Amino acid sequence: MRSLRDLGIGPAAIRSVLHRESTVAETAGQWADALDAQIRTLQLQRAVLRAVAARGSATEELPNMTELARLSARERRRIITDFVEDALDGARAPAYRSGLLAAVPDLPDDPTPEQIGAWTELAALVREPELRAALRRLAEYSARTGPVAGEALAAGETDPAGREQDAVRVAELMRLRGEEAVTAGLAPDSPAAEPVIAELVAAWLPTQAGVQVTRDVGALVAAVRPEDLGLPTPCAGWSVRQLLDHMVWENLMATSIAEDDPRGDHAADHLGDDHRAAFEDSVRAALAAFTGSGMLHRTYGPYEAPGAMIVQQVVAELLAHGWDLARATGAPRGLAPEVAEETLAAARRIYGAAPRTEGSSFAPERPAPPGAGAVDRLAAHLGRDPA
């Protein structure tokens, strides 16, 4: 029994072993669990003290940091989840809510002073009414622009839950890449951070395209009448029908690349007798490939083109050709303004160094008029005249 006492086991537990009320193994396991909890608490207290010393914390910061040291992981998470649930109460934005909750951070068992400092700042931020109001506005916007499950099913979407899972995966990727960038000391606006930002934009674009870009461009395609198919478009030499055929081809080609079986039927008729159905089917296949094939993390072809770049290119082309279609048919051109700004940034990265000649795939960039929307500026960047 002396050995048990030397290991720090208390008299009551030792008496329980002597009276055969518990075994040595059971007692050792219980005390080991208790020591684990004590060690985690001591590690957290040590990290708080080092954070106080490193930050030169003022007296008024100490209560919050001390409170943080006393909280369990479950209690810390509850602070954030309660904040999110309260701010989003009543908002019909399940994917937005799930994405936020998936990105809730926690402290490791042995946190650094920097992690303690970051958590202290986060705990203070969620008490701010301005952040709560901003989160609410974003949730309401998400509810307006993204269909809820019932509406998605009514619109023919077979897997609305899959779209919510995509949002959660993107949120988790953002959390991981953000933590890696902070650990590496990358400033968000530094050139070294550009590959990280490009990856996150590439992951984010397909989830948004499913709700916004295909929503707006699909509505344009659905509004095209048979008598409109012969109309000229801003794409030199192309009619509306040829433009639609090209849009469907690009979606099908991206899908085949993701499936490691690139198509070679560029000159074929991809539209058939129902341009609406052909476009919808091609979009559905492309989005499934983007989000379900691991495409964002692979390379393709002899030049090892990043799959993320292919996704960005398809979304940029879809918006640009949607602009062409709107211009040809006289429809409004303000397509997917929420995603167009990021798409324009992606297009500048992809096409910025491409050769520019009249009549080629990339005409010289045109000036956009003051106050032009993101889609008009995207069209101008790709050689269209937005005036």
Side-chain angles (χ1 to χ4, degrees):
M1 294 304 107
R2 179 176 185 139
S3 298
L4 293 177
R5 189 165 56 250
D6 290 343
L7 289 170
I9 297 177
I14 292 175
R15 282 196 298 273
S16 177
V17 172
L18 289 173
H19 295 157
R20 301 186 184 280
E21 295 171 355
S22 61
T23 66
V24 171
E26 291 170 343
T27 301
Q30 292 167 359
W31 277 78
D33 290 342
L35 281 174
D36 284 340
Q38 287 180 324
I39 289 169
R40 285 193 294 269
T41 299
L42 289 171
Q43 287 173 330
L44 186 54
Q45 290 174 342
R46 180 186 63 187
V48 168
L49 290 170
R50 292 201 184 283
V52 169
R55 290 159 57 92
S57 299
T59 304
E60 55 268 21
E61 273 192 300
L62 291 178
N64 288 338
M65 298 187 78
T66 303
E67 177 188 1
L68 178 62
R70 292 183 180 139
L71 296 177
S72 66
R74 183 175 183 179
E75 289 168 332
R76 287 192 298 272
R77 183 174 178 84
R78 177 55 58 188
I79 290 174
I80 309 302
T81 55
D82 283 352
F83 163 73
V84 171
E85 295 293 354
D86 183 56
L88 272 56
D89 183 39
R92 302 174 68 195
Y96 181 72
R97 176 186 285 104
S98 298
L100 283 175
L101 293 177
V104 173
D106 198 11
L107 290 170
D109 289 341
D110 191 7
T112 66
E114 291 78 13
Q115 289 169 325
I116 288 289
W119 234 101
T120 302
E121 292 172 9
L122 178 61
L125 275 174
V126 298
R127 296 186 176 97
E128 295 291 335
E130 292 84 359
L131 180 60
R132 188 180 303 269
L135 208 65
R136 178 74 189 186
R137 288 195 299 271
L138 288 170
E140 290 170 347
Y141 166 78
S142 178
R144 289 195 304 272
T145 58
V148 296
E151 294 167 346
L153 287 172
E157 185 175 335
T158 58
D159 187 18
R163 184 161 47 80
E164 181 172 337
Q165 292 167 3
D166 290 338
V168 172
R169 283 195 292 270
V170 172
E172 178 65 10
L173 177 64
M174 289 182 173
R175 182 185 69 79
L176 290 173
R177 293 295 180 266
E179 289 178 353
E180 291 168 0
V182 169
T183 301
L186 293 182
D189 56 352
S190 69
E194 289 184 1
V196 178
I197 295 171
E199 179 186 6
L200 296 180
V201 170
W204 178 78
L205 280 176
T207 67
Q208 298 303 303
V211 179
Q212 298 174 25
V213 177
T214 58
R215 174 200 65 194
D216 288 6
V217 176
L220 286 176
V221 174
V224 172
R225 304 165 300 177
E227 57 266 33
D228 296 331
L229 294 174
L231 293 173
T233 72
C235 297
W238 277 4
S239 66
V240 166
R241 192 185 195 285
Q242 289 169 311
L243 174 65
L244 291 174
D245 186 86
H246 177 73
M247 293 165 69
V248 170
W249 156 256
E250 286 192 324
N251 293 335
L252 295 176
M253 186 63 187
T255 303
S256 69
I257 290 173
E259 295 171 345
D260 295 316
D261 187 22
R263 302 171 68 106
D265 58 344
H266 182 272
D269 177 9
H270 306 97
L271 219 54
D273 297 328
D274 190 341
H275 62 274
R276 299 178 182 89
F279 181 78
E280 290 171 2
D281 290 345
S282 72
V283 164
R284 190 176 297 111
L287 290 177
F290 292 168
T291 58
S293 67
M295 188 175 190
L296 298 176
H297 308 288
R298 298 174 57 195
T299 59
Y300 296 87
Y303 300 106
E304 297 188 342
M309 188 185 72
I310 296 173
V311 171
Q312 292 174 326
Q313 181 178 356
V314 170
V315 176
E317 291 282 332
L318 191 60
L319 265 184
H321 288 315
W323 185 93
D324 294 330
L325 183 60
R327 190 72 178 265
T329 60
R333 304 198 305 263
L335 303 170
E338 306 85 10
V339 81
E341 202 70 56
E342 287 78 8
T343 304
L344 173 59
R348 291 189 187 281
R349 286 193 299 272
I350 296 170
Y351 304 125
R356 303 290 187 120
T357 57
E358 292 291 351
S360 70
S361 298
F362 301 102
E365 184 173 359
R366 303 288 187 91
V375 178
D376 281 339
R377 286 184 280 124
L378 172 65
H381 177 69
L382 296 178
R384 278 78 161 174
D385 182 3

